Amino acid sequence: MFRYASARIAQTVVVLLAIAFIGFLLVSNLGDPLASLLPPDATPQDRAALIATLHLDQPVAMRFLTFLKGLLVGDFGISYRSHEPVAALIWERLPATVELAFASLAITLLVGVPLGVYCGIRPRSALAKAVMFVSIAGVTLPTFVVGILLIAVFSVKLGLLPSFGRGQTVDLGFWKTGLLTASGWRALVLPAITLSLFQVTFVIRMIRTQLMEVGHSEFIRFARARGVEARRIWFVHALKNTLLPVITVLALQFGNIIAFSVVTENVFAWPGLGSLFLQSIQTADMPVISVYLIIIGAIFMMLNLLVELSYPLIDQRVLRERA
Amino acid sequence: MRSTSSRFLSSMLAAPAASVAGLIVLLLALAAFAAPPFLADPFNPMNASLLDAFTPPAFLPNGLPAFPLGTDDQGRDMLVAMAFGLRTSILIGVSSVAIGLLVGVSLGLLAGFAGGKIDALIMRIADVQLAYPALLLAMIIDGSVRSAFGALIDVRVSVAIVIVSIGFAFWVQYARTIRSSVLVERGQDYVAAARVTGRSGLAIALLHILPNVMAPVLVIATINLGIAIITEATLSFLGIGLPLTHASLGTLIRNGNNFLQSGEWWISVWPCALLVIFVVAVNVLGDHLRDVFNPKLRRRR
Amino acid sequence: MTPLLDVRDLSIVLPREDRDLVALNNASFTLGRGEVLGLVGESGAGKSLTGAAIIDLLSPPLRRSAGRITLDGERIDGLTPAQMEKVRGRRIGFVFQDPLTSLNPVLTIGRHFTDTLLSHFDISFAEARRRAVHWIGRVGLSDPELRFDQYPHHLSGGMRQRIVIALALCCEPLMVIADEPTTALDVSVQAHVLKLLRDLHAETGVAVLLITHDLGVMAKMADRVAVLYAGRIVEIGPAARLLGAPHHPYTRGLLRATPSHKAAAGRLEPIPGSMPNLASIPSGCAFHPRCPRATEICRDRVPVLEGRHEGDAVACWHPVTEDRP
């Protein structure tokens, strides 16, 4: 177990370094920090001072090391657009995105898993067929179309829910949360549904397929022959077998979920990281873009690592095969 | 990613669905390409007729028979604007698929023929890229390039950036398919015979192998066309795609989204509907082609 | 005294678009308390389906089309799924054939037991665990406490089959259905598992419906034997009589084709031809195309099961009467 884990961790570190290097190349080669950060009436002294602060006078290798060190201690550079530290910008936007992501994950688990199990156990029932039919929409409709349609119906037509922003937020000092106010919860509904639609559909279909496969297995028949309660069979015996592939594939969908979160935040004017990323692209704010990409890449790699390291906990056979 | 949708679409609707889908694609494409030459370009400011702005669809109160689906904020007839938008969407979709094809087929042939380190390098990059979905990649490439050019971007550069970004997000599938086909075909007698007659590797590749492996590649290309159109629409919707003067469906939806709150829903909802109908039709068609030409491709990307 | 299990006119069909194919045709038999009844036949004869039908575990689209099943004086056909759940495992245990696929790879051995026990008894987890460890030890595995926390892949095939047997018996059912309990095992392991089954039968007095194609296993275990051919019981009787002096030509053919059986006398005689599939069962006696004694009547009319009494009967127009098989 230890050897397996350390090999995987080493691999992850190498890829993370590569991602950081690509991010570094973006910042160091694209855009013009001096033109962006210096006021028009800057003196040559100002200019020299800035070059020194940004280490532009040093060799590339040194600058990369400085950049890496900055990443590790949370010094991400200075935004060309707002002239604020990138870390502060990201920290300010992070709560919105995290709360949106967790809300959509909660919907995915609360709606996707039970429906998936139901459709897997009773694939021929009317409800299962209806769910599968509706799920076509989940994979076909582009995220922004879903958002627009939800706004058109629930905000504009019915006037039930807000269509932009986070509602009232409460500042806890280190974290601005929208989860402590009624308006915050109401504002969360439509974006969370929009973002979760793809994952919900995905989870339903994965669990259904897996369960239908597992349902035909001898060990499920044997469990039924022993009179194990149906609830136990499906939610413990069968679901545990489907967990591994579902978790793996969902983790691999992280990239899609990030892309969809950028779109969702844009549709609902949600003040999160995705909106920050788009603003930065439109204003060529390279430091923010590169840090955003590095963070996404890092989360992506960590998630994969976590999934792989948790395999042995879910399925003891993996360890054996890899030993 | 979203092409999975089409798999069960086609299985549910069977063959008649493919014919209906084909008809829809044909009619819409015809409308998109036949109409513009006869109509004034609504995106040219010279043709703006602000007096007609915000006319609701004809079936609503205050609607005008002259504008069956209503008009947008600049007084453009939605029907005409959508014809122009669809044409742009199709052109960009086809071009980016073509770029992906060109890059993917070339690298696939190179990997298959060269083997060794070149093969390993190309395939390793492909493996890494495969982990990232097309939409995210296109966003990243588009965003980075856009930032690099900064103020220099004019309309043409903007269009080119979108096409190339989407195209590069798609090359992996083609490269993998071509490479594995090359590895199979390379052992065939006709390639050996060509080698004996002293043909170069490139000549063999172009003359003998390529025609034999194009069928599966074209099937993938059709399926990717739907994804490419959605990707372009998403980029344009986010404001990092096409400018309003070269409106695609995505741009139209972005523009319409500004007026959704004030109740002028038709400016965004019609293009949304057209986008979904066209892409679903293309997907169903692609799935049908796949089943006909190459059932073996029926696996998850 | 009423038998423990009474199966009357049990039929199983496989629905097809044009017609229903009959997989089991009007089978009737009984199983006494503590008795071992063997069901023997070639694969496809319907013996495993019979076992599955008794506990209502046929895989769709197969279904029971007729028949009454009485267990301990109570009808158990036509129970609701929830009621059937209480019968399975608790009153009728079931030993599956393949130990490699019968255990869930992602659950511990212990979890298999506790889930089964907690489904049937209102006991604490600690008590379920105690009983599980007891059964793991009872079927001959060393270090039962350790095994409790192990996964199926930690055990060998023979050990897993012992676990499967223990799982079938852990709720102390009245009877077990053992479907080819030794077939999937290595020959060297078969004898051990068979001995375990015999010992457990002797100790607990559980009745056994033993399904096998192996006449050797039958001879060692069964009190009575029923022979199935193409979905019908063609002969039934006490094991000693049936295996010693078979009346049905098919039973005799089976015996002569079995190695190491006395009747083979060093020389194996396979039965010519093969068993028909469900879609093309011959008219009359289904065995007639392969039968050396077949005549006109065998082609035209289905023989009924008759004999001295219901427990010793044969379905044949021309039964074998000579003493030696």
Side-chain angles (χ1 to χ4, degrees):
Chain A
M1 176 68 201
F2 180 72
R3 267 183 54 200
Y4 167 62
S6 50
R8 283 293 296 120
I9 291 172
Q11 238 177 320
T12 307
V13 169
V14 171
V15 180
L16 282 178
L17 278 178
I19 293 175
F21 187 65
I22 294 174
F24 168 73
L25 287 182
L26 286 179
V27 194
S28 59
N29 292 316
L30 303 179
D32 181 357
L34 296 179
S36 310
L37 289 175
L38 285 174
D41 55 349
T43 61
Q45 285 83 359
D46 292 341
R47 199 179 162 79
L50 188 62
I51 287 178
T53 330
L54 297 177
H55 308 286
L56 294 182
D57 49 350
Q58 288 175 358
V60 175
M62 278 305 293
R63 280 167 60 201
F64 179 53
L65 281 182
T66 317
F67 181 79
L68 263 187
K69 217 170 76 193
L71 284 181
L72 290 178
V73 301
D75 172 11
F76 298 159
I78 295 169
S79 159
Y80 295 169
R81 184 169 58 98
S82 68
H83 298 197
E84 279 176 73
V86 176
L89 282 179
I90 287 184
W91 187 245
E92 189 192 322
R93 302 295 195 106
L94 192 64
T97 295
V98 168
E99 284 177 8
L100 176 60
F102 272 94
S104 88
L105 187 66
I107 295 178
T108 306
L109 296 180
L110 293 178
V111 176
V113 173
L115 277 182
V117 171
Y118 180 83
C119 292
I121 300 175
R122 308 232 177 289
R124 275 181 263 268
S125 69
L127 177 62
K129 282 181 180 161
V131 168
M132 291 317 287
F133 189 80
V134 172
S135 80
I136 297 174
V139 279
T140 309
L141 293 179
T143 312
F144 66 95
V145 170
V146 175
I148 287 175
L149 294 181
L150 285 178
I151 290 177
V153 174
F154 291 98
S155 299
V156 179
K157 182 93 184 153
L158 300 176
L160 286 176
L161 294 161
S163 63
F164 61 89
R166 288 181 78 190
Q168 255 185 329
T169 55
V170 175
D171 197 342
L172 301 176
F174 61 99
W175 190 270
K176 253 192 186 162
T177 179
L179 300 179
L180 293 177
T181 62
S183 76
W185 278 94
R186 279 160 45 82
L188 189 57
V189 175
L190 292 184
I193 292 177
T194 305
L195 183 54
S196 68
L197 189 64
F198 173 75
Q199 307 164 58
V200 169
T201 318
F202 201 84
V203 165
I204 290 178
R205 300 191 48 213
M206 279 289 297
I207 291 187
R208 173 180 175 271
T209 317
Q210 293 285 329
L211 270 189
M212 284 170 69
E213 228 163 75
V214 172
H216 289 128
S217 66
E218 278 294 285
F219 57 80
I220 292 298
R221 264 194 95 213
F222 186 39
R224 293 182 62 204
R226 297 199 304 276
V228 176
E229 295 156 310
R231 194 170 39 89
R232 265 180 216 273
I233 290 187
W234 292 112
F235 281 93
V236 176
H237 292 230
L239 196 59
K240 199 163 179 203
N241 289 81
T242 69
L243 268 184
L244 190 62
V246 171
I247 290 178
T248 309
V249 179
L250 201 60
L252 290 178
Q253 288 299 317
F254 178 72
N256 258 329
I257 294 169
I258 287 296
F260 297 152
S261 82
V262 172
V263 178
T264 306
E265 291 190 5
N266 183 271
V267 175
F268 291 95
W270 191 260
L273 290 179
S275 302
L276 179 67
F277 176 61
L278 278 179
Q279 285 166 6
S280 307
I281 287 179
Q282 277 150 355
T283 53
D285 196 349
M286 225 52 225
V288 179
I289 294 176
S290 91
V291 169
Y292 180 80
L293 294 183
I294 292 171
I295 291 178
I296 300 272
I299 298 177
F300 194 71
M301 296 305 302
M302 294 299 194
L303 217 54
N304 275 315
L305 182 67
L306 220 60
V307 166
E308 282 206 35
L309 291 185
S310 63
Y311 276 3
L313 300 180
I314 303 170
D315 191 341
Q316 291 278 321
R317 286 169 303 175
V318 176
L319 254 189
R320 237 194 178 194
E321 279 156 24
R322 309 220 171 158
Chain B
M1 71 193 173
R2 300 226 163 192
S3 79
T4 39
S5 63
S6 25
R7 188 175 320 142
F8 56 143
L9 266 184
S10 74
S11 68
M12 282 175 68
L13 305 174
S19 349
V20 173
L23 200 65
I24 291 176
V25 172
L26 199 70
L27 286 178
L28 288 179
L30 207 66
F33 283 91
F38 298 102
L39 300 166
D41 181 355
F43 299 103
N44 185 335
M46 301 292 288
N47 297 326
S49 51
L50 286 169
L51 286 178
D52 296 326
F54 299 118
T55 310
F59 55 83
L60 290 180
N62 299 330
L64 297 172
F67 307 115
L69 298 183
T71 64
D72 68 3
D73 56 312
Q74 302 291 317
R76 290 181 277 251
D77 184 348
M78 285 308 296
L79 214 50
V80 178
M82 276 158 58
F84 277 77
L86 181 60
R87 184 178 66 159
T88 311
S89 282
I90 295 176
L91 282 176
I92 302 243
V94 171
S95 315
S96 53
V97 166
I99 296 266
L101 259 175
L102 196 69
V103 175
V105 169
S106 317
L107 289 179
L109 284 175
L110 183 64
F113 268 96
K117 278 187 185 145
I118 298 177
D119 182 25
L121 180 69
I122 294 176
M123 284 303 119
R124 193 50 31 83
I125 296 174
D127 286 343
V128 172
Q129 182 173 330
L130 211 59
Y132 294 85
L135 180 56
L136 187 66
L137 273 174
M139 254 184 219
I140 293 172
I141 302 174
D142 180 286
S144 310
V145 177
R146 222 163 262 275
S147 315
F149 279 87
L152 296 174
I153 296 182
D154 73 348
V155 172
R156 280 198 208 121
V157 180
S158 198
V159 172
I161 290 176
V162 172
I163 292 176
V164 171
S165 307
I166 301 174
F168 265 88
F170 280 122
W171 68 273
V172 172
Q173 275 183 296
Y174 305 115
R176 289 189 150 196
T177 311
I178 289 284
R179 174 180 171 271
S180 58
S181 299
V182 167
L183 292 184
V184 173
E185 301 284 336
R186 212 160 59 159
Q188 302 288 319
D189 288 342
Y190 70 91
V191 177
R195 258 186 209 283
V196 170
T197 58
R199 290 250 172 98
S200 74
L202 185 67
I204 294 172
L206 294 181
L207 286 175
H208 296 270
I209 293 189
L210 210 49
N212 284 298
V213 299
M214 277 322 272
V217 166
L218 288 178
V219 171
I220 301 177
T222 316
I223 294 169
N224 278 350
L225 179 61
I227 308 176
I229 290 176
I230 284 198
T231 307
E232 182 277 318
T234 305
L235 291 180
S236 296
F237 176 81
L238 295 177
I240 53 177
L242 299 182
L244 199 57
T245 43
H246 269 59
S248 72
L249 290 177
T251 329
L252 290 181
I253 297 169
R254 172 183 172 76
N255 181 47
N257 195 33
N258 296 330
F259 308 104
L260 187 56
Q261 294 299 328
S262 45
E264 284 95 10
W265 54 268
W266 60 89
I267 308 180
S268 53
V269 170
W270 294 141
C272 278
L274 180 59
L275 174 70
V276 171
I277 291 172
F278 189 75
V279 169
V280 168
V282 168
N283 281 349
V284 171
L285 202 61
D287 277 9
H288 185 67
L289 288 180
R290 175 186 57 199
D291 293 346
V292 172
F293 285 113
N294 197 345
K296 268 187 294 184
L297 282 174
R298 191 192 280 265
R299 55 180 129 91
R300 209 174 53 231
R301 291 213 298 127
Chain C
M1 193 169 109
T2 55
L4 175 64
L5 177 77
D6 190 354
V7 175
R8 285 294 111 199
D9 303 322
L10 179 63
S11 292
I12 298 169
V13 294
L14 177 63
R16 285 286 168 84
E17 274 173 27
D18 45 343
R19 66 195 168 103
D20 289 354
L21 302 180
V22 181
L24 187 72
N25 202 330
N26 279 320
S28 298
F29 57 87
T30 61
L31 176 66
R33 279 162 215 282
E35 191 186 28
V36 179
L37 171 68
L39 277 187
V40 72
E42 294 167 76
S43 53
K47 51 192 196 307
S48 289
L49 297 182
T50 307
I54 291 171
I55 57 166
D56 198 18
L57 208 63
L58 288 168
S59 315
L62 281 165
R63 63 179 175 85
R64 209 166 53 201
S65 61
R68 268 183 307 131
I69 302 167
T70 314
L71 177 73
D72 204 16
E74 281 173 47
R75 288 280 292 270
I76 59 166
D77 53 296
L79 293 183
T80 65
Q83 290 169 324
M84 202 62 215
E85 232 169 52
K86 296 288 158 216
V87 173
R88 294 188 197 126
R90 178 68 186 94
R91 306 181 69 192
I92 304 179
F94 205 112
V95 177
F96 271 48
Q97 171 175 357
D98 187 353
L100 299 182
T101 57
S102 300
L103 298 177
N104 191 330
V106 303
L107 299 182
T108 60
I109 299 296
R111 188 71 193 253
H112 284 82
F113 282 97
T114 53
D115 271 351
T116 310
L117 288 162
L118 292 172
S119 293
H120 290 299
F121 300 110
D122 193 13
I123 53 175
S124 66
F125 182 83
E127 170 63 13
R129 186 193 157 95
R130 196 192 60 75
R131 291 193 198 179
V133 171
H134 163 77
W135 273 102
I136 297 172
R138 185 150 182 197
V139 293
L141 267 70
S142 61
D143 219 345
E145 291 278 354
L146 173 73
R147 305 294 181 198
F148 185 90
D149 292 318
Q150 285 186 322
Y151 285 87
H153 66 263
H154 291 121
L155 308 184
S156 70
M159 285 154 88
R160 282 192 231 185
Q161 191 63 347
R162 286 166 185 268
I163 294 294
V164 168
I165 291 169
L167 280 167
L169 289 172
C170 70
C171 294
E172 288 154 6
L174 299 165
M175 61 171 285
V176 291
I177 299 170
D179 188 358
E180 304 272 12
T182 59
T183 309
L185 302 174
D186 287 346
V187 181
S188 56
V189 183
Q190 282 186 1
H192 292 293
V193 171
L194 206 60
K195 179 170 184 308
L196 172 70
L197 266 179
R198 278 219 312 256
D199 293 347
L200 288 170
H201 170 246
E203 290 164 23
T204 62
V206 67
V208 181
L209 180 63
L210 178 66
I211 297 166
T212 181
H213 67 280
D214 187 336
L215 287 171
V217 170
M218 209 50 99
K220 289 199 187 86
M221 289 273 308
D223 302 316
R224 286 191 304 127
V225 175
V227 180
L228 276 167
Y229 184 81
R232 282 179 195 273
I233 295 181
V234 294
E235 184 167 10
I236 187 165
R241 194 286 290 161
L242 189 136
L243 299 176
H247 291 329
H248 200 284
Y250 175 63
T251 313
R252 189 169 67 163
L254 273 185
L255 284 166
R256 285 184 172 170
T258 303
S260 85
H261 193 270
K262 286 190 296 274
R267 180 168 65 94
L268 295 182
E269 283 177 38
I271 308 172
S274 61
M275 202 175 65
N277 68 32
L278 288 186
S280 55
I281 292 177
S283 63
C285 172
F287 187 59
H288 83 256
R290 302 169 73 187
C291 182
R293 308 165 74 94
T295 60
E296 193 73 16
I297 189 170
C298 302
R299 267 189 292 279
D300 296 339
R301 294 178 53 199
V302 181
V304 288
L305 197 61
E306 29 180 35
R308 273 177 293 172
H309 54 85
E310 199 185 74
D312 191 354
V314 62
C316 182
W317 295 116
H318 308 294
V320 184
T321 46
E322 60 263 48
D323 286 341
R324 285 185 49 75

